Amino acid sequence: MKNRLALALVVVGLMFILFVESKKLDPYKVLGVDRNASQREIQKAFHKLSLQYHPDKNKNKGAQEKFSEINNAYDILSDEQKRKNYDLYGDEKGSPGFDAGGPGEHDGYTYFTSGGPGQSGFSFRPGEWQNMGGQGSKSYSFSFGGPGSAKESSFGFGFDDIFSNLFGGGMGGGSQFGGFSGSGRSEHGRKQPTKSIPSVNSQLYRKEIVDNGMTWLLFVYTSNLQGIQYYESVIEEVGTSLQGALKVGSINCESDASFCKELGVYPRREPKIFIYSYASSEKGSLVEYAGDFDVKSLKSFCQENLPRFSKRINLNNLDAASEAGRLPRVLLLSTKKSTPVIWRVLSGLYRKRFVFYDAEVHDISDASVRKLGIDSLPAIIGWLSNGEKQILKTGISVKDLKSAIQELSGLLDNFEKKNKKVASVKKDHTESGEKGIPLLTTSNFYDICSEKVPVCVIGVFRSSATRDKLQKILQSVSQKSYSRRQTLTSGSRDGVTYALLDASKQQSFLNALDKSGFKSSEKLLVAYKPKRGTYASSQGDITEEEAERFISSVLNGDVQFTKARQKPTLK
């Protein structure tokens, strides 16, 4: 009896020592965070300490050991299951040696051992009660040794564990207490990337990364390389700060060696970081990061490698941006000295669907801004492929990068749908042998009615019905005078261009020609000579024959032109 009591006291004393030892390596204390800390707080603490004690930067004695402790602590607290186990049992794997057997297993015993059922441990028979010291008092029946074991202590630790932790060896192998190995050896170099960094294989790479317009930050590694957790934390923080502007992925060259060799990215001594960039190539290419590995430097590198498909222009040279073309065009007006990140990201995602421009603007009262109809900044203006201008959005407010890109992506998608309808109408005209007559706007005015054009014939309308009628008349006349219009490219004096003008929206254009502004006319034809600043008009009931007669008279010099009051402009 005395021997048993003495043994029990020894075991309790040893357990107390081990308990105190394990407390020294509390992962919460190692990272300096509260037990209710969020994953974001844990990650920030780990990143800060990793930078401070990283062996490449800290050569002080004990820095390597501290760095290992920091990585082990993060290994536990960054994994929700391990953290839960540690909070409940003091060990990230669950209660030390805990293995709850089901009913009928091991003859009704539940084993608490350092290595699971059948290994060194003690047993507890939950149904066995002993009255000791009086009625109602209860105690458990412990059996040292357990099934198949002769050297056991109670309280859940075998003597192998005790001697291993006291003397660094032991009678059967080491154990772990408090979620840390007894030797303090770091396991961070062999940790697999966290689930927050998606895995990228060759199929996903070709399907979602190559030539898709989105910038990717790629973490390339093998599991035996050192510092994986440190790399992960930096990459995750950069990915979070640029969420929406880039995506993050990891490539395991250990499990997909052929893919890594194909890309030429196989890591040797340490993990590698690449970015799939569109900064220098429209198709995109992998660029390796070789700078200091910290959040600020890596984030700056990522921003530098975002797409650059938007052309910065001066509003005084707006004609180049608004000229008609196959693709619709969009222009961002902002106070930024360089192209904003959001616009650069969108220019990559939509580079095959739009032509992008941006301009720096500070004063919306400026004449070049006012003629665009903008009342607040930032603003986005779009031109359909037929040259028609539309104000897409003004006074843009940004909550965060991701939501802003999503919102503006929806804006561009809707504008593209409108353009497809316009293109569909134009296609119908082309297939029927007709030439579409463009609507005169600020974006195409200087192209259709520039000073290089001898005469531009404008069909003016005030309603949709008269527009359709003039459209058909001018289409027919333009087809018949095709040979004359062809000579325009060689600078012939007989060149003529055709356009339509919506008088309900562009009354100022007509006011610049004549004081009356032709307000009494529902429809009319205007022949305007841009270089001379003169015009002639044909009002009344305009038919195809009347239009042909008027245009022939203009080209033959049989019509008298009048000097315009001022140079006409469009809003």
Side-chain angles (χ1 to χ4, degrees):
M1 182 70 181
K2 290 182 179 180
N3 290 336
R4 289 186 178 182
L5 179 60
L7 180 60
L9 290 174
V10 170
V11 171
V12 170
L14 290 173
M15 281 189 59
F16 178 78
I17 293 172
L18 294 173
F19 178 79
V20 172
E21 286 293 314
S22 68
K23 281 294 182 179
K24 292 180 181 179
L25 294 177
D26 183 332
Y28 290 101
K29 291 183 178 179
V30 170
L31 295 183
V33 296
D34 296 332
R35 288 190 172 270
N36 60 351
S38 65
Q39 282 297 323
R40 179 65 175 166
E41 292 171 330
I42 291 171
Q43 187 184 69
K44 289 180 68 175
F46 168 68
H47 179 247
K48 180 180 178 181
L49 292 172
S50 293
L51 285 176
Q52 182 179 349
Y53 290 100
H54 195 284
D56 291 343
K57 295 187 176 182
N58 193 329
K59 304 299 182 181
N60 295 332
K61 185 178 180 180
Q64 175 68 56
E65 183 179 354
K66 182 68 175 178
F67 186 69
S68 298
E69 292 176 4
I70 292 167
N71 277 278
N72 280 331
Y74 184 68
D75 183 37
I76 294 171
L77 300 186
S78 64
D79 187 302
E80 292 296 342
Q81 187 57 50
K82 289 182 180 180
R83 182 180 180 182
K84 181 179 179 181
N85 288 340
Y86 180 82
D87 289 343
L88 290 174
Y89 310 116
D91 186 282
E92 79 273 19
K93 295 181 180 179
S95 178
F98 178 85
D99 186 3
E105 293 184 314
H106 309 293
D107 297 325
Y109 286 83
T110 299
Y111 294 96
F112 298 72
T113 74
S114 63
Q119 299 182 20
S120 59
F122 71 89
S123 61
F124 162 59
R125 192 188 302 276
E128 189 172 322
W129 302 87
Q130 293 181 357
N131 293 323
M132 300 181 64
Q135 186 176 4
S137 65
K138 303 184 180 93
S139 69
Y140 297 95
S141 173
F142 300 94
S143 61
F144 292 88
S149 175
K151 51 181 188 292
E152 271 303 309
S153 72
S154 58
F155 306 96
F157 295 97
F159 283 113
D160 284 351
D161 298 320
I162 296 172
F163 283 99
S164 173
N165 283 276
L166 285 178
F167 306 111
M171 297 158 22
S175 180
Q176 289 186 337
F177 295 89
F180 291 77
S181 62
S183 64
R185 179 175 58 87
S186 171
E187 299 291 337
H188 72 278
R190 298 185 180 275
K191 182 179 179 294
Q192 299 294 322
T194 60
K195 293 180 180 179
S196 60
I197 302 183
S199 178
V200 173
N201 56 28
S202 58
Q203 183 178 0
L204 186 145
Y205 180 81
R206 294 181 178 89
K207 182 179 179 181
E208 297 188 19
I209 298 180
V210 175
D211 202 28
N212 269 346
M214 171 59 75
T215 303
W216 278 74
L217 181 60
L218 298 172
F219 172 48
V220 184
Y221 73 100
T222 57
S223 62
N224 63 333
L225 296 176
Q226 294 293 314
I228 289 181
Q229 285 185 338
Y230 173 66
Y231 275 78
E232 286 176 348
S233 68
V234 173
I235 292 169
E236 288 173 1
E237 188 163 344
V238 171
T240 300
S241 66
L242 293 176
Q243 191 174 17
L246 59 73
K247 292 184 178 181
V248 176
S250 63
I251 301 176
N252 187 343
C253 290
E254 191 172 25
S255 60
D256 208 346
S258 60
F259 175 47
C260 290
K261 291 178 181 178
E262 177 188 339
L263 295 178
V265 300
Y266 201 96
R268 299 298 178 183
R269 297 181 179 179
E270 59 185 10
K272 288 186 176 183
I273 306 298
F274 289 87
I275 193 163
Y276 194 87
S277 168
Y278 293 88
S280 59
S281 171
E282 185 174 346
K283 292 185 178 180
S285 61
L286 285 174
V287 179
E288 184 174 3
Y289 177 63
D292 293 336
F293 198 72
D294 57 73
V295 172
K296 183 178 180 181
S297 300
L298 183 59
K299 182 178 179 179
S300 177
F301 174 75
C302 291
Q303 289 176 323
E304 283 297 316
N305 280 278
L306 291 175
R308 296 180 181 274
F309 295 115
S310 179
K311 180 179 180 181
R312 174 143 285 215
I313 63 170
N314 187 309
L315 287 185
N316 294 326
N317 301 321
L318 185 60
D319 297 349
S322 57
E323 62 184 5
R326 182 177 61 87
L327 295 176
R329 294 157 307 287
V330 284
L331 168 66
L332 172 68
L333 302 179
S334 74
T335 58
K336 299 295 183 181
K337 292 183 178 180
S338 58
T339 306
V341 168
I342 294 174
W343 200 242
R344 288 174 61 187
V345 173
L346 291 170
S347 76
L349 295 173
Y350 290 86
R351 72 195 189 287
K352 296 181 179 180
R353 297 153 63 181
F354 290 90
V355 178
F356 284 81
Y357 298 94
D358 63 278
E360 181 182 0
V361 175
H362 293 280
D363 185 6
I364 59 174
S365 63
D366 186 88
S368 61
V369 180
R370 194 168 59 250
K371 74 177 184 179
L372 293 175
I374 301 301
D375 55 9
S376 59
L377 297 171
I380 298 176
I381 305 168
W383 288 270
L384 298 170
S385 56
N386 68 351
E388 182 180 345
K389 184 194 80 174
Q390 293 191 7
I391 297 175
L392 303 186
K393 193 173 182 66
T394 61
I396 301 171
S397 60
V398 175
K399 179 182 178 182
D400 56 67
L401 191 59
K402 182 179 179 180
S403 62
I405 290 173
Q406 289 177 340
E407 180 183 353
L408 296 183
S409 292
L411 195 73
L412 293 179
D413 289 339
N414 290 333
F415 188 56
E416 185 180 38
K417 290 178 182 178
K418 292 180 180 179
N419 189 69
K420 286 182 177 179
K421 291 182 179 178
V422 171
S424 177
V425 172
K426 185 176 180 181
K427 182 180 179 181
D428 291 342
H429 289 323
T430 302
E431 290 177 351
S432 62
E434 298 176 334
K435 178 67 178 179
I437 305 299
L439 180 69
L440 203 61
T441 64
T442 55
S443 63
N444 61 16
F445 176 70
Y446 293 104
D447 183 35
I448 297 173
C449 294
S450 69
E451 291 187 359
K452 295 181 180 180
V453 178
V455 181
C456 56
V457 176
I458 304 170
V460 182
F461 64 89
R462 295 185 183 277
S463 65
S464 58
T466 54
R467 172 178 179 166
D468 293 340
K469 184 176 181 180
L470 284 173
Q471 175 85 6
K472 292 178 181 179
I473 291 173
L474 292 181
Q475 280 175 354
S476 177
V477 173
S478 65
Q479 286 294 314
K480 293 179 181 179
S481 60
Y482 179 74
S483 59
R484 283 180 176 171
R485 290 186 294 108
Q486 280 291 89
T487 60
L488 177 62
T489 58
S490 61
S492 169
R493 297 176 61 186
D494 293 332
V496 59
T497 58
Y498 297 86
L500 295 171
L501 180 74
D502 187 349
S504 64
K505 296 180 180 180
Q506 304 291 351
Q507 182 60 49
S508 61
F509 183 93
L510 300 177
N511 292 340
L513 300 178
D514 185 82
K515 187 176 181 179
S516 68
F518 303 100
K519 293 179 181 179
S520 60
S521 301
E522 181 67 17
K523 61 181 180 296
L524 71 149
L525 290 178
V526 174
Y528 177 63
K529 292 183 177 181
K531 191 172 184 178
R532 296 184 179 183
T534 58
Y535 74 95
S537 64
S538 175
Q539 304 178 53
D541 187 21
I542 299 174
T543 62
E544 185 175 327
E545 292 75 15
E546 174 61 26
E548 286 185 28
R549 184 198 63 76
F550 173 68
I551 294 170
S552 296
S553 298
V554 167
L555 296 177
N556 294 331
D558 297 334
V559 175
Q560 184 175 351
F561 278 73
T562 305
K563 186 71 174 179
R565 298 175 64 208
Q566 61 188 60
K567 186 176 181 179
T569 58
L570 297 175
K571 291 183 178 180

